[in-house]
Amino acid sequence: MQVSIACTEQNLRSRNSEDRLCGPRPGPGGGNGSGPKARTAVVPRPPAPPGVLRESTGRGTGMKYRNLGKSGLRVSCLGLGTWVTFGSQISDETAEDVLTVAYEHGINLFDTTEVYAAGKAERTLGNILKSKGWRRSSYVITTKIFGGGQAETERGLSRKHIIEEIVRAMTYVINQGLALYWGTSRWGAAEIMEAYSVARQFNLIPPVCEQAEHHLFQREKVEMQLPELYHKIGVGSVTWSPLACGLIHSKYDGRVPDPCRATIKGYQWLKDKVQSEDGKKQQAKVMDLLPIAHQLGCTVAQLAIAWCLRSEGVSSVLLGVSSAEQLIEHLGALQVLSQLTPQTVVEIDGLLGNKPHSKK
């Protein structure tokens, strides 16, 4: 169970020191081969002239914006996550290319956490944002706290089983100007409702979103539990892993290629998952989706991302990519979304055979 915070202010202060997110100050000077060609969202624009600051307004990019839950904060429906990639799988130069392409294509939500790459992901993201000079009010950073460092005082949510204390702590964080909103990550519906009730009882600030895993093979929470919370108390969803850590890409084909996330040190669990019986069955389901992707003129990955975007109450779907080219391909899902008719969704549900149903 983690707590997520959304930071958007120009005068944002880090929790420990200036290098908490940005790192030390610099010195002076300081696809799918068997399917159709990947649909691209927008042809990359040429570099801006020197001295011209290119803003992430979304105009001309096709990006769609949604409220974060029922708050007034507008976030891009596709966000950029830094799990596995920033500070670990890709170089800082590649990370800068990815972030630049994301921003120039209208993505304004960048997600990280204190434990990604042992803290290096946060620092890499912060250093890039500092060097870019983009207006601080033009993008949103979300981070998560729980894992922390090695000492007992550097991790956890203090007495985390006492929900009231967490709500009071996050209200303090917001009142101090350290963040503007807070949400939850991997919380159960009952825990989120309890946090909301505590906030209302003691005049505190309630959470506005829950960050949850959601993809073709992980559906129950986002499709059955969170929509009710969205309607009752305004808690939206920010979802992650739309491609099931790369499984929904037809790239495995019964084996684990090198390089990929499943071969990275510390991700043996993913390799085991891919090679398990359930993993092989899921790969077969992915192949079954190829005809639908062909019909829509997109890749299976783009179809899967668009499918996640159609869920009620989903504010943003976080993408994890290892290159700018991969990001541009995934942004093509925006064009696929408009083609996902109710009939197409029913056809996908029929192929998957895992549509969750109400237990009432």
Side-chain angles (χ1 to χ4, degrees), residues 39-183:
R39 180 193 297 264
T40 56
V42 178
V43 177
R45 291 173 283 177
V52 175
L53 180 63
R54 179 172 291 158
E55 295 294 349
S56 178
T57 62
R59 288 192 293 268
T61 67
M63 182 57 66
K64 308 297 182 183
Y65 297 88
R66 300 173 177 177
N67 287 56
L68 183 62
K70 291 190 177 179
S71 74
L73 181 61
R74 299 285 285 176
V75 295
S76 51
C77 68
L78 292 176
L80 180 66
T82 60
W83 180 45
V84 182
T85 52
F86 279 44
S88 178
Q89 185 184 23
I90 62 179
S91 67
D92 289 355
E93 291 76 15
T94 299
E96 181 173 353
D97 289 342
V98 168
L99 196 68
T100 302
V101 169
Y103 184 80
E104 293 184 352
H105 282 77
I107 290 179
N108 71 356
L109 174 61
F110 307 125
D111 179 76
T112 186
T113 190
E114 60 183 357
V115 297
Y116 291 168
K120 190 176 179 182
E122 270 195 339
R123 294 192 294 273
T124 299
L125 175 63
N127 283 330
I128 295 172
L129 291 172
K130 180 191 293 185
S131 69
K132 285 297 179 180
W134 297 325
R135 285 188 302 111
R136 184 61 185 85
S137 57
S138 68
Y139 57 85
V140 177
I141 300 171
T142 57
T143 190
K144 295 172 286 296
I145 52 176
F146 178 80
Q150 298 300 313
E152 288 298 314
T153 56
E154 295 176 330
R155 61 176 181 264
L157 299 175
S158 190
R159 292 155 67 182
K160 61 182 181 298
H161 61 286
I162 304 178
I163 302 295
E164 178 183 337
E165 184 172 68
I166 298 173
V167 179
R168 288 189 182 277
M170 296 314 299
T171 298
Y172 174 81
V173 166
I174 293 173
N175 287 340
Q176 291 297 306
L178 299 174
L180 291 185
Y181 304 87
W182 78 279

Side-chain angles (χ1 to χ4, degrees), residues 292-309:
I292 297 178
H294 290 169
Q295 183 180 0
L296 298 179
C298 66
T299 65
V300 171
Q302 291 169 333
L303 176 63
I305 295 169
W307 180 89
C308 290
L309 283 169

Side-chain angles (χ1 to χ4, degrees), residues 90-336:
I90 62 179
S91 67
D92 289 355
E93 291 76 15
T94 299
E96 181 173 353
D97 289 342
V98 168
L99 196 68
T100 302
V101 169
Y103 184 80
E104 293 184 352
H105 282 77
I107 290 179
N108 71 356
L109 174 61
F110 307 125
D111 179 76
T112 186
T113 190
E114 60 183 357
V115 297
Y116 291 168
K120 190 176 179 182
E122 270 195 339
R123 294 192 294 273
T124 299
L125 175 63
N127 283 330
I128 295 172
L129 291 172
K130 180 191 293 185
S131 69
K132 285 297 179 180
W134 297 325
R135 285 188 302 111
R136 184 61 185 85
S137 57
S138 68
Y139 57 85
V140 177
I141 300 171
T142 57
T143 190
K144 295 172 286 296
I145 52 176
F146 178 80
Q150 298 300 313
E152 288 298 314
T153 56
E154 295 176 330
R155 61 176 181 264
L157 299 175
S158 190
R159 292 155 67 182
K160 61 182 181 298
H161 61 286
I162 304 178
I163 302 295
E164 178 183 337
E165 184 172 68
I166 298 173
V167 179
R168 288 189 182 277
M170 296 314 299
T171 298
Y172 174 81
V173 166
I174 293 173
N175 287 340
Q176 291 297 306
L178 299 174
L180 291 185
Y181 304 87
W182 78 279
T184 58
S185 179
R186 295 187 174 187
W187 282 31
E191 293 169 323
I192 298 171
M193 181 60 78
E194 183 180 354
Y196 179 86
S197 299
V198 166
R200 288 297 180 233
Q201 181 180 357
F202 297 104
N203 196 29
L204 303 173
I205 299 173
V208 299
C209 67
E210 157 67 8
Q211 192 170 117
E213 182 179 6
H214 183 227
H215 49 74
L216 294 170
F217 306 113
Q218 184 78 27
R219 305 182 57 173
E220 178 73 25
K221 183 176 183 179
V222 172
E223 296 181 39
M224 297 302 298
Q225 300 175 23
L226 294 184
E228 183 176 3
L229 291 181
Y230 175 72
H231 288 293
K232 284 185 175 180
I233 60 176
V235 172
S237 308
V238 174
T239 67
W240 54 277
S241 197
L243 302 182
C245 296
L247 178 67
I248 305 171
H249 210 281
S250 301
K251 67 181 181 181
Y252 290 121
D253 195 23
R255 61 186 181 86
V256 179
D258 188 17
C260 75
R261 289 191 176 188
T263 61
I264 298 175
K265 183 179 179 180
Y267 289 84
Q268 179 64 36
W269 60 269
L270 179 55
K271 183 176 182 179
D272 294 341
K273 181 178 179 180
V274 170
Q275 295 178 331
S276 68
E277 286 303 313
D278 285 342
K280 292 176 181 178
K281 290 178 181 178
Q282 290 174 354
Q283 291 173 58
K285 295 288 187 181
V286 171
M287 299 304 292
D288 289 341
L289 293 173
L290 276 173
I292 297 178
H294 290 169
Q295 183 180 0
L296 298 179
C298 66
T299 65
V300 171
Q302 291 169 333
L303 176 63
I305 295 169
W307 180 89
C308 290
L309 283 169
R310 106 243 180 260
S311 295
E312 185 180 30
V314 170
S315 300
S316 189
V317 173
L318 299 176
L319 304 176
V321 299
S322 56
S323 69
E325 292 75 19
Q326 187 180 31
L327 174 59
I328 291 173
E329 177 199 338
H330 290 178
L331 287 171
L334 293 171
Q335 301 174 44
V336 180

Side-chain angles (χ1 to χ4, degrees), residues 216-217 219 285 289 307 347-355:
L216 294 170
F217 306 113
R219 305 182 57 173
K285 295 288 187 181
L289 293 173
W307 180 89
E347 186 177 356
I348 292 174
D349 285 337
L351 289 173
L352 295 175
N354 64 355
K355 181 178 179 180

